[in-house]
Amino acid sequence: MAMVCLSDFEAYAKKYLPKIAWDYFAAGADDCTTRDENILAYKRIRFRPRMLRDVSVMDIRTKILGSEISFPVGIAPTGFHQLAWPDGEKSTARAARAMNTCYIASTYSTCTLEEISAAAPGGLRWFQLYIHRNRAASQQLVQQAEALGFRALVLTADLPYTGKRRDDVRNGFRLPPHMKLKNLEGAFEYGLPPNSLDPSVTWNDIYWLRSLTRLPIIIKGILTRDDAELAVRHGVQGIIVSNHGGRQLDEGPATIDALVEVVEAVRGRVEVYVDGGIRKGSDVLKALALGAKCVFIGRPAVWGLAYKGEEGLQNVLRILQDEFRLSMALAG
Amino acid sequence: MAMVCLSDFEAYAKKYLPKIAWDYFAAGADDCTTRDENILAYKRIRFRPRMLRDVSVMDIRTKILGSEISFPVGIAPTGFHQLAWPDGEKSTARAARAMNTCYIASTYSTCTLEEISAAAPGGLRWFQLYIHRNRAASQQLVQQAEALGFRALVLTADLPYTGKRRDDVRNGFRLPPHMKLKNLEGAFEYGLPPNSLDPSVTWNDIYWLRSLTRLPIIIKGILTRDDAELAVRHGVQGIIVSNHGGRQLDEGPATIDALVEVVEAVRGRVEVYVDGGIRKGSDVLKALALGAKCVFIGRPAVWGLAYKGEEGLQNVLRILQDEFRLSMALAG
Amino acid sequence: MAMVCLSDFEAYAKKYLPKIAWDYFAAGADDCTTRDENILAYKRIRFRPRMLRDVSVMDIRTKILGSEISFPVGIAPTGFHQLAWPDGEKSTARAARAMNTCYIASTYSTCTLEEISAAAPGGLRWFQLYIHRNRAASQQLVQQAEALGFRALVLTADLPYTGKRRDDVRNGFRLPPHMKLKNLEGAFEYGLPPNSLDPSVTWNDIYWLRSLTRLPIIIKGILTRDDAELAVRHGVQGIIVSNHGGRQLDEGPATIDALVEVVEAVRGRVEVYVDGGIRKGSDVLKALALGAKCVFIGRPAVWGLAYKGEEGLQNVLRILQDEFRLSMALAG
Amino acid sequence: MAMVCLSDFEAYAKKYLPKIAWDYFAAGADDCTTRDENILAYKRIRFRPRMLRDVSVMDIRTKILGSEISFPVGIAPTGFHQLAWPDGEKSTARAARAMNTCYIASTYSTCTLEEISAAAPGGLRWFQLYIHRNRAASQQLVQQAEALGFRALVLTADLPYTGKRRDDVRNGFRLPPHMKLKNLEGAFEYGLPPNSLDPSVTWNDIYWLRSLTRLPIIIKGILTRDDAELAVRHGVQGIIVSNHGGRQLDEGPATIDALVEVVEAVRGRVEVYVDGGIRKGSDVLKALALGAKCVFIGRPAVWGLAYKGEEGLQNVLRILQDEFRLSMALAG
């Protein structure tokens, strides 16, 4: 089976992952409208290709929060990588470092932050944070991440409660007994912890976070100009336009559509990134043309892991990189 | 079979109800365009979700005509509940009371109003009225409903004649011999009574109704701003924006689209409700955001009955309640 | 098999007609886009239904060119009715008279005009005319039609050449040997006469036609405001907005869409009719609401013939009549 | 199997060509969105047909760059005709001459320019050029074409690198060993030459080309008004609006949509042609109505070759010619 484009990895993962794991990664909230819209919205955007420009040399490197990456595609935070590949997040970290890009490790990792760090020393990593009712646990994680060299905190803002993903409910989804949410072992055994997150979090908690760490704070899950403005005013260093892969509120906007108004509201004061729906190198180019500094991929990264772990994820990233470079050349 | 969302109840009902009964409940007029549009129109409406608001405590109770209900979803009037469950409307009444919401009993019930009242004393109930050529029969029903504690009259305005539902014609739909339109037993034996309704009813008949009862009068079936204005001028207490589940005139507007202009025309002078196409908690939130005080569900209530009678209908209502609460939280 | 709506007749005809005959009647030009658009365009038009109007008595009769018909649906000219039913156009004439409506007999009839007239004396009939290269033949037909009591001439303007109907080409469509174009027997034996029509016909030929007869002249095939204005200026008495059932130029406008601009241009100076895409009584109501005085049905009439000849066509007309009356009542 | 319309030839080619050859010709870049849009965009354009005009005599000849062709459809440059028919481009040249139209021979022909010229002496031919890193090779080809009587140079501007055609990658597409890129035999053996084209070509290279030849220069691959303006300013004699059949950058505009802005920008200063998505005679008429002087067909020409070589391609051209003449007549 030739792995030519990201859909090939998706087909592979669908075929070889256990159904319960596939369903978990594929899940969208309710009717999955927003999950699918993320992809469809990219298709509605059309290039205006320009010709006869010298495209013999192209530099696709970029910098995010001052760190250089080899091309503007990073790994979005997703949970439970051991469901896709035995080594889990350790493989993810290695692939990201090998491709010289940024990996945002999830609070819901099945490896500890130490294991992730040890697996790929020197790699560029950010840490994604949920704020738990048990604030002490969250504080400890933040400080641990800082100590381990993670270079930014990514606060997820769109999950006061977990969205309703019907297949997960039907499957009674939980982690298998031999996997653990390693970074939260004190708090609960396995499975999606019911009601452990704090739904009373507000913008003021940005100040609380700021008091805990000197890391830059990025807020993930912003979809409107109003929230973008609030984010800037509360002093974040970056915004990830995201709808959690369509897994939270169904029937909100596609991220690439929301990106436009967020970029406009932010007016360059902080960096803006986007995730959700990236399936081709030309999608990356569209996001950048609409003002994103960099994009992050979620499900495609997991498909890469499911295919061949670290090597599979590198395949996925390399395909995106080649496609991105080619579309830049062809679009002039 | 896990019952996770309303579609699961629909699938169950389609599988287990006799075809003639399923067809009757599912029927739309002509090509069923409006029936299906009711649902599609909700999908076209997009949320603009806001983040980092304290959603730890949410009050989803509301009041309709002064009576409190536990959440803004009531039971729309539909006929022939015994086709779905042996206890028929008695089960409906019990489920509505258990969930502390409002049940609008239909003129075309297969239980008498007394039976319905006796099944769930103290429940909040309204009575849906068709005006028959035999006005004395209608007058008697109105006065009986008032005497039995029904708290409002819901006058259906969109059925001067029955819409053309092709499958019912093909099936030669009639009630089975052991079921009766209990509230109309004097008038006709069983089946859809041909030409028994009065097609000459006009706005002036609101005054006639008013002369019969002190109950508030709600008019059901309004789809335009002009009729909304007329309704207010004729002194009704409430309006249900409805197209009879797409069973009357095909190719009119979806109810959620019509709601907007009705709410605008009414300018808060009377309460406005809507039915048709509600399939998820987020649909309820959309209707409320567009100005409805409360929504009513028709077919989903019948599916609940078909699944497990009173318990099944409670399941349906509870799912909607949970989904509604969750979407409120996720939309901020 | 219950015949409930026009689609039932279509399904019957598709099943029981010889493929070559079905294909001929069903054919559209090229990709059949316009043929299908005729129907889809009706679906895009939405009613704004009004409530509580006295609809107990409704008069659906109308007058076209001064003659009363029982409801605003006539029979459009279509050829070769013997392909659908042995008695051919004689049955059509009888059904139209029985339903008290207008039948436009085609030049390409498989019965003579005498046979048609004799089959249903006193029926309201118009005669559809193609102008042949052999002008004498056309002149003779016109004068024969007038002598036989046809009450108007319908000049088809959209067929300088026959459209490309792929299935007819594939099937090598010709009339079976025992059928003849009875009104043109001098000119050619059977089959679609190649190049017999005069492609040099222009607006000035209206004057020529006028010189031949005192019958009112109706022009069929107008789709633009410019041609509507020309038609009025050249003194026609009526316009049929038509695209020949999508059988001539593919990818022109749907007739119900073109009706609007034609009605606007004509400003009541002559009567405007429309054909193409009528499948339900509510379509008739839409056409009338948009300014048509009457509609004509083509393929549905043939399906009725194919079902049971005269009786089948009456069934089709009666269903449309009932549906039309019901939609009027439900739309208020 | 009756060959009635171009889709019939497509179906034939799909059935009888080796999969690898069919895939090569059918291929579009990435998701094939633009390839399919080329066709869909034509369908969105609607005629406004006019009636009663004298269409008995129609002249469909036209001139391109001063040379008369029998109707405004030429053969676009496509590679590897031997994959479709043993005689390859020699058959193409013969068919084009027989139909008295223009054939643009591709750099990637499987016959030499001499063979093509010798096969159909006196035919109207243009030569399509890619600029290779090895400029001397390109220069030699240009001068050879001029010497052989090709009457214009068509510079392809949209292929600095080859687009990503997934099926070709999956199939490991290469020419079979017995076929060669005859015009480039010095440079590489067979298969798509990797990186042989010069991605540093810019507008200034038009001057370089101009210095090599007195042939008119046409630029192919323009999709925006800005590039159209640049093309005129750099002195080209013609523009082919093209997206390379959707084989280069996916998700750019359909060519018929881009044609409008190019024609507007050019304001008649040079001739504008279009290729991509032509499947019916009415598509040709639409392109001309929107300002194209002539259209070129790519895949349909190959299907014709695959059907019966020279004769098959003539069939395709004759069908287009007949359809084009008929649509002109029917559109008035």
Side-chain angles (χ1 to χ4, degrees):
Chain A
M1 184 180 188
M3 305 310 271
V4 173
C5 59
L6 269 53
S7 314
D8 295 333
F9 293 84
E10 181 176 18
Y12 183 96
K14 185 163 189 179
K15 190 164 169 192
Y16 291 105
L17 280 183
K19 181 180 183 314
I20 198 170
W22 166 261
D23 281 352
Y24 169 74
F25 291 122
D30 296 339
D31 290 330
C32 301
T33 304
T34 296
R35 178 194 67 180
D36 298 339
E37 264 290 294
N38 276 351
I39 293 173
L40 294 172
Y42 274 104
K43 291 198 172 296
R44 285 191 297 258
I45 299 168
R46 290 277 176 271
F47 290 109
R48 290 179 58 77
R50 301 296 303 272
M51 300 300 146
L52 296 186
R53 297 176 164 197
D54 180 347
V55 292
S56 54
V57 179
M58 287 184 298
D59 184 354
I60 59 172
R61 291 171 303 172
T62 191
K63 281 189 176 177
I64 50 176
L65 294 186
S67 304
E68 183 178 303
I69 52 179
S70 65
F71 77 121
V73 176
I75 313 289
T78 50
F80 311 152
H81 288 188
Q82 284 188 359
L83 282 177
W85 189 255
D87 261 8
E89 288 80 4
K90 286 183 282 185
S91 296
T92 316
R94 284 186 206 113
R97 190 185 57 177
M99 291 295 293
N100 191 18
T101 190
C102 176
Y103 162 36
I104 311 181
S106 165
T107 292
Y108 289 162
S109 293
T110 43
C111 301
T112 62
L113 296 187
E114 286 93 340
E115 289 169 328
I116 292 171
S117 292
L124 173 62
R125 279 182 292 274
W126 296 350
F127 173 62
Q128 175 274 334
L129 181 76
Y130 289 119
I131 298 184
H132 286 77
R133 292 181 193 267
N134 176 352
R135 295 275 174 128
S138 291
Q139 174 171 353
Q140 198 176 351
L141 271 174
V142 168
Q143 288 162 347
Q144 187 190 11
E146 184 166 6
L148 287 166
F150 285 79
R151 289 196 234 162
L153 271 189
V154 175
L155 175 67
T156 295
D158 59 7
L159 204 136
Y161 302 96
T162 303
K164 181 169 183 178
R165 304 155 197 174
R166 292 175 186 170
D167 284 343
D168 285 351
V169 183
R170 277 185 233 285
N171 294 336
F173 174 75
R174 344 186 50 184
L175 282 186
H178 62 283
M179 296 184 202
K180 298 212 184 312
L181 292 180
K182 287 281 188 68
N183 295 298
L184 300 163
E185 279 199 274
F188 24 69
E189 280 296 288
Y190 38 68
L192 276 180
N195 297 318
S196 64
L197 300 187
D198 185 349
S200 74
V201 172
T202 67
W203 290 102
N204 287 329
D205 290 296
I206 305 272
Y207 300 131
W208 169 74
L209 259 191
R210 175 70 64 227
S211 75
L212 302 180
T213 176
R214 282 186 294 188
L215 290 178
I217 295 173
I218 293 165
I219 190 158
K220 173 169 175 280
I222 299 304
L223 294 165
T224 58
R225 66 173 63 83
D226 317 77
D227 279 349
E229 180 62 35
L230 284 171
V232 174
R233 282 206 214 146
H234 285 82
V236 304
Q237 273 73 41
I239 291 173
I240 303 183
V241 175
S242 173
N243 51 31
H244 216 112
R247 299 160 79 88
Q248 289 295 102
L249 182 69
D250 199 23
E251 300 178 357
T255 49
I256 190 65
D257 291 336
L259 174 68
V260 176
E261 76 174 77
V262 168
V263 164
E264 206 176 81
V266 161
R267 298 194 312 276
R269 289 173 289 170
V270 304
E271 295 189 353
V272 180
Y273 322 107
V274 66
D275 70 16
I278 299 281
R279 296 293 178 269
K280 295 185 297 186
S282 57
D283 297 337
V284 181
L285 182 56
K286 288 176 180 178
L288 265 63
L290 293 172
K293 184 80 178 164
C294 166
V295 308
F296 291 92
I297 55 169
R299 291 184 186 94
V302 172
W303 305 333
L305 286 177
Y307 175 55
K308 279 192 187 172
E310 173 187 347
E311 184 188 335
L313 176 48
Q314 278 187 255
N315 294 160
V316 162
L317 288 166
R318 195 161 292 121
I319 285 174
L320 271 180
Q321 197 176 56
D322 290 345
E323 289 181 347
F324 173 62
R325 191 187 282 114
L326 180 58
S327 0
M328 271 186 70
L330 298 183
Chain B
M1 182 181 190
M3 305 310 270
V4 172
C5 59
L6 269 53
S7 315
D8 294 333
F9 293 84
E10 183 176 18
Y12 183 98
K14 185 164 191 179
K15 190 164 171 192
Y16 291 105
L17 280 183
K19 180 181 184 313
I20 198 171
W22 165 260
D23 280 354
Y24 169 74
F25 290 123
D30 296 339
D31 290 331
C32 302
T33 304
T34 296
R35 178 194 68 180
D36 298 339
E37 263 290 293
N38 277 350
I39 292 173
L40 294 172
Y42 274 104
K43 290 199 172 295
R44 286 192 295 259
I45 299 169
R46 290 278 177 270
F47 289 109
R48 291 179 57 78
R50 303 295 304 271
M51 300 300 146
L52 296 186
R53 296 176 166 198
D54 181 347
V55 292
S56 55
V57 179
M58 287 183 299
D59 184 354
I60 60 173
R61 290 170 304 170
T62 191
K63 280 188 176 179
I64 50 175
L65 294 187
S67 304
E68 183 178 303
I69 52 179
S70 66
F71 78 120
V73 177
I75 313 288
T78 51
F80 311 152
H81 288 188
Q82 283 188 0
L83 282 177
W85 189 254
D87 261 8
E89 288 80 4
K90 288 184 282 185
S91 296
T92 317
R94 285 186 206 113
R97 191 186 55 179
M99 290 297 292
N100 190 19
T101 189
C102 176
Y103 162 36
I104 311 181
S106 165
T107 293
Y108 289 163
S109 293
T110 43
C111 301
T112 63
L113 296 187
E114 286 93 342
E115 289 169 330
I116 292 171
S117 292
L124 173 62
R125 278 181 293 275
W126 296 350
F127 174 62
Q128 176 273 334
L129 181 76
Y130 289 120
I131 298 183
H132 286 77
R133 293 181 193 268
N134 176 351
R135 295 276 173 127
S138 290
Q139 175 171 354
Q140 199 176 351
L141 270 175
V142 168
Q143 288 163 347
Q144 187 189 11
E146 183 166 6
L148 286 166
F150 285 80
R151 289 195 234 162
L153 272 189
V154 175
L155 176 66
T156 297
D158 59 6
L159 205 136
Y161 302 97
T162 303
K164 181 170 182 177
R165 303 153 197 175
R166 293 175 186 170
D167 284 343
D168 285 350
V169 182
R170 277 184 233 284
N171 295 336
F173 175 75
R174 341 188 52 186
L175 282 186
H178 62 282
M179 295 184 203
K180 299 210 184 312
L181 292 180
K182 287 280 190 68
N183 295 299
L184 300 163
E185 279 197 275
F188 23 69
E189 280 295 288
Y190 39 67
L192 276 180
N195 297 319
S196 64
L197 299 187
D198 185 349
S200 75
V201 172
T202 67
W203 289 102
N204 287 328
D205 290 296
I206 305 272
Y207 301 130
W208 169 74
L209 259 190
R210 174 69 65 226
S211 75
L212 302 181
T213 176
R214 283 186 296 186
L215 289 177
I217 295 173
I218 294 164
I219 190 158
K220 173 170 176 280
I222 299 304
L223 293 165
T224 59
R225 67 173 64 83
D226 317 76
D227 279 349
E229 180 62 36
L230 285 171
V232 173
R233 283 206 213 145
H234 284 81
V236 304
Q237 273 74 42
I239 290 173
I240 303 183
V241 175
S242 173
N243 51 30
H244 218 110
R247 298 161 79 86
Q248 290 295 104
L249 183 69
D250 199 22
E251 299 177 358
T255 50
I256 190 65
D257 291 336
L259 175 68
V260 176
E261 76 174 76
V262 168
V263 163
E264 205 175 82
V266 160
R267 299 195 312 274
R269 289 172 290 170
V270 305
E271 296 188 352
V272 179
Y273 322 108
V274 66
D275 70 17
I278 299 280
R279 297 293 179 269
K280 296 184 296 185
S282 57
D283 296 337
V284 182
L285 181 57
K286 288 175 180 178
L288 265 63
L290 293 172
K293 184 80 178 166
C294 166
V295 308
F296 292 92
I297 56 169
R299 291 184 186 92
V302 172
W303 303 334
L305 286 177
Y307 175 56
K308 279 192 185 170
E310 173 187 346
E311 185 189 333
L313 176 47
Q314 279 187 255
N315 294 159
V316 162
L317 288 166
R318 195 160 293 121
I319 284 174
L320 270 180
Q321 197 176 56
D322 290 346
E323 288 181 348
F324 173 62
R325 191 187 282 114
L326 180 59
S327 0
M328 272 187 70
L330 298 184
Chain C
M1 184 181 188
M3 306 309 270
V4 173
C5 59
L6 269 54
S7 316
D8 295 332
F9 293 83
E10 182 176 17
Y12 183 97
K14 184 164 191 178
K15 191 164 171 191
Y16 291 105
L17 281 182
K19 182 181 182 313
I20 197 170
W22 165 260
D23 281 353
Y24 169 74
F25 291 122
D30 295 339
D31 291 330
C32 302
T33 304
T34 295
R35 179 193 67 181
D36 298 339
E37 262 290 292
N38 276 351
I39 292 174
L40 294 172
Y42 274 105
K43 289 199 173 295
R44 285 191 296 259
I45 298 169
R46 290 279 177 268
F47 290 110
R48 291 179 56 79
R50 301 296 303 271
M51 300 300 146
L52 295 185
R53 294 173 166 200
D54 182 346
V55 292
S56 54
V57 179
M58 287 182 299
D59 184 354
I60 60 174
R61 292 171 303 172
T62 191
K63 281 187 175 178
I64 50 176
L65 294 186
S67 303
E68 184 178 303
I69 52 178
S70 65
F71 78 121
V73 176
I75 312 290
T78 51
F80 311 152
H81 288 189
Q82 283 187 1
L83 282 177
W85 189 252
D87 261 8
E89 288 81 3
K90 289 184 281 186
S91 296
T92 316
R94 285 186 206 113
R97 189 185 56 176
M99 291 297 293
N100 191 20
T101 190
C102 177
Y103 162 36
I104 311 180
S106 166
T107 292
Y108 288 163
S109 292
T110 43
C111 301
T112 63
L113 295 187
E114 286 93 342
E115 289 169 330
I116 293 172
S117 292
L124 173 63
R125 278 182 292 276
W126 296 351
F127 174 63
Q128 175 273 333
L129 182 76
Y130 289 119
I131 299 183
H132 286 76
R133 293 181 192 267
N134 176 351
R135 293 277 173 128
S138 290
Q139 174 171 353
Q140 199 177 351
L141 270 175
V142 167
Q143 287 164 347
Q144 187 189 12
E146 183 166 7
L148 287 166
F150 284 79
R151 290 196 233 162
L153 273 189
V154 175
L155 175 67
T156 296
D158 58 6
L159 205 136
Y161 302 96
T162 303
K164 181 169 183 176
R165 304 154 197 175
R166 293 175 185 170
D167 284 343
D168 285 351
V169 183
R170 277 184 232 285
N171 295 336
F173 174 76
R174 343 188 50 186
L175 282 186
H178 62 284
M179 295 184 202
K180 299 210 183 311
L181 291 180
K182 288 279 189 71
N183 295 300
L184 300 163
E185 280 197 273
F188 24 69
E189 280 296 286
Y190 37 69
L192 277 180
N195 297 319
S196 64
L197 300 187
D198 184 349
S200 74
V201 172
T202 66
W203 290 102
N204 287 328
D205 291 295
I206 305 271
Y207 301 130
W208 170 74
L209 258 191
R210 174 69 64 227
S211 74
L212 303 180
T213 177
R214 283 186 296 187
L215 289 178
I217 295 173
I218 294 165
I219 189 157
K220 173 170 175 282
I222 299 305
L223 292 165
T224 58
R225 67 172 64 83
D226 317 78
D227 279 349
E229 181 62 35
L230 285 172
V232 173
R233 282 205 214 146
H234 285 80
V236 304
Q237 273 73 41
I239 290 172
I240 303 183
V241 175
S242 173
N243 51 30
H244 217 110
R247 297 160 79 86
Q248 289 296 104
L249 182 69
D250 199 23
E251 299 179 356
T255 50
I256 190 65
D257 291 336
L259 175 68
V260 176
E261 77 175 76
V262 169
V263 164
E264 206 176 83
V266 161
R267 297 194 314 275
R269 289 173 288 171
V270 303
E271 295 189 354
V272 179
Y273 322 108
V274 67
D275 69 17
I278 299 280
R279 296 294 178 268
K280 295 184 298 184
S282 57
D283 296 337
V284 182
L285 182 57
K286 287 175 181 178
L288 266 65
L290 293 173
K293 184 80 178 164
C294 167
V295 309
F296 291 92
I297 56 169
R299 291 184 186 94
V302 173
W303 303 334
L305 286 177
Y307 176 56
K308 280 191 184 171
E310 172 187 347
E311 184 188 334
L313 176 47
Q314 278 187 256
N315 293 161
V316 162
L317 288 166
R318 195 160 292 121
I319 284 174
L320 270 181
Q321 196 176 57
D322 290 346
E323 288 181 349
F324 173 61
R325 191 186 282 114
L326 180 58
S327 2
M328 272 187 71
L330 298 184
Chain D
M1 185 179 188
M3 305 310 270
V4 173
C5 59
L6 269 53
S7 315
D8 295 333
F9 292 84
E10 181 177 18
Y12 183 96
K14 184 165 191 178
K15 191 164 169 191
Y16 291 104
L17 281 183
K19 183 181 182 314
I20 198 171
W22 166 260
D23 280 353
Y24 169 73
F25 291 123
D30 295 338
D31 290 330
C32 302
T33 303
T34 295
R35 178 194 68 181
D36 298 339
E37 263 291 293
N38 276 352
I39 293 173
L40 293 171
Y42 275 104
K43 289 198 171 297
R44 285 190 296 258
I45 298 169
R46 289 279 177 269
F47 290 110
R48 290 179 59 77
R50 302 296 303 270
M51 300 299 146
L52 295 187
R53 296 174 165 199
D54 181 346
V55 292
S56 53
V57 179
M58 286 184 299
D59 184 354
I60 60 174
R61 291 170 304 171
T62 191
K63 281 188 176 178
I64 50 177
L65 294 186
S67 304
E68 183 178 302
I69 50 179
S70 66
F71 78 120
V73 176
I75 313 288
T78 50
F80 310 153
H81 288 188
Q82 283 188 0
L83 282 178
W85 188 254
D87 261 8
E89 288 80 4
K90 288 184 280 186
S91 296
T92 316
R94 286 187 205 112
R97 190 186 55 176
M99 291 296 294
N100 191 19
T101 189
C102 177
Y103 162 36
I104 310 180
S106 166
T107 292
Y108 289 162
S109 293
T110 43
C111 300
T112 62
L113 296 187
E114 285 93 341
E115 289 168 328
I116 293 172
S117 292
L124 173 62
R125 279 183 292 276
W126 296 350
F127 173 62
Q128 176 272 334
L129 182 76
Y130 290 119
I131 299 182
H132 286 76
R133 293 180 192 268
N134 176 352
R135 294 278 173 127
S138 291
Q139 174 171 354
Q140 197 176 352
L141 270 175
V142 167
Q143 288 163 346
Q144 186 188 11
E146 184 166 6
L148 287 166
F150 285 80
R151 289 196 234 159
L153 272 189
V154 175
L155 175 66
T156 296
D158 58 6
L159 205 136
Y161 302 96
T162 303
K164 181 171 183 177
R165 304 155 197 174
R166 293 175 185 170
D167 284 343
D168 285 350
V169 183
R170 277 185 233 285
N171 295 336
F173 174 76
R174 346 186 49 185
L175 282 186
H178 62 283
M179 295 184 203
K180 299 212 183 311
L181 292 180
K182 288 279 189 70
N183 295 299
L184 301 163
E185 280 198 274
F188 23 70
E189 280 297 288
Y190 37 67
L192 276 180
N195 297 319
S196 63
L197 300 187
D198 184 349
S200 74
V201 171
T202 67
W203 290 101
N204 287 329
D205 291 295
I206 306 271
Y207 301 131
W208 169 74
L209 259 192
R210 174 70 64 227
S211 75
L212 303 181
T213 178
R214 283 186 295 186
L215 290 178
I217 295 173
I218 295 165
I219 189 158
K220 173 169 174 281
I222 299 304
L223 293 165
T224 58
R225 67 173 64 82
D226 317 77
D227 279 349
E229 181 61 36
L230 285 171
V232 173
R233 283 205 213 145
H234 285 82
V236 303
Q237 273 73 43
I239 291 172
I240 303 183
V241 174
S242 173
N243 51 31
H244 217 111
R247 298 160 79 86
Q248 288 296 103
L249 182 68
D250 199 23
E251 300 178 356
T255 50
I256 190 65
D257 291 336
L259 174 69
V260 177
E261 77 175 76
V262 168
V263 164
E264 207 176 80
V266 160
R267 297 194 312 275
R269 290 173 289 171
V270 303
E271 295 190 353
V272 179
Y273 322 107
V274 66
D275 70 16
I278 298 281
R279 296 293 179 269
K280 295 183 299 184
S282 57
D283 296 337
V284 182
L285 182 56
K286 287 175 180 178
L288 265 64
L290 294 172
K293 184 80 177 164
C294 166
V295 309
F296 291 92
I297 55 168
R299 292 184 186 93
V302 172
W303 304 333
L305 286 177
Y307 175 56
K308 280 191 186 173
E310 172 187 348
E311 183 188 336
L313 176 47
Q314 278 187 256
N315 294 161
V316 162
L317 288 166
R318 195 161 292 120
I319 285 174
L320 270 180
Q321 197 177 56
D322 290 345
E323 289 182 348
F324 172 62
R325 190 186 283 113
L326 180 58
S327 1
M328 270 187 71
L330 298 184

